[in-house]
Amino acid sequence: VTVTNQSDKEGQLPKIMDLDATVQGTFASITRQLEDELAASEAAAKRAEEELSAWEAENDAKAGEGNRFKKAARQAASAVAAAQVAKEEHARAIAVETDAPISADVLNLVKNLRSGTDENKQKSAAALAYLACNANKQVEIAKAGGIAPLVALT
């Protein structure tokens, strides 16, 4: 986002805030979808185990590896495991982005943006622009509260 004057600031800040809301909504939607898939897989696994148990009780025998109920129960258990892994990986991916520490250089640059001299603000903005070429640094800058002071520069 390039802000060159007050009207840019007024036009771009709502877009940034809308983007943030969209990203947060997307993460929440994916989380709900993964939770629904896990619940459905668990319900299917429970049904498959019940069918296997009923077959074994009816036939007074343990089902062999080739038994269709045994296969269905094994496949359902695998689906539960896969859904659980997907949910955990999603949570871990979000946590990595949100729990990552903010480096001292980013904190100092953002501090200069807020309370430094005009010259220091310009130099800090330039340094942050350079750092922002790295996606991880973009997250740090946002977490450090650097977006608003950058947008406020005119």
Side-chain angles (χ1 to χ4, degrees), residues 57-76:
E58 182 180 310
N59 291 289
D60 196 23
K62 281 288 193 191
E65 291 303 312
N67 180 285
R68 67 183 176 105
F69 294 109
K70 183 87 166 193
K71 286 180 183 179
R74 195 171 40 247
Q75 288 171 343

Side-chain angles (χ1 to χ4, degrees), residues 1 16 19-20 23-24 96-103 105-107 109-110 113 125-150:
V1 175
I16 292 168
L19 177 62
D20 180 58
V23 169
Q24 295 298 327
V96 166
E97 291 301 320
T98 59
D99 292 342
I102 303 169
S103 61
D105 59 340
V106 169
L107 287 172
L109 291 168
V110 171
L113 278 177
L128 287 170
Y130 174 77
L131 290 173
C133 293
N134 177 304
N136 291 332
K137 290 294 183 184
Q138 291 173 7
V139 172
E140 285 184 46
I141 293 165
K143 284 176 52 179
I147 303 296
L150 283 169

Side-chain angles (χ1 to χ4, degrees), residues 27 30-39 42 79-95:
F27 282 149
I30 292 169
T31 299
R32 281 190 304 275
Q33 180 183 3
L34 291 170
E35 288 171 350
D36 291 347
E37 288 175 14
L38 178 58
E42 288 172 336
V80 168
Q84 184 65 40
V85 167
K87 181 181 171 193
E88 290 169 2
E89 286 178 355
H90 175 68
R92 194 170 25 259
I94 292 172

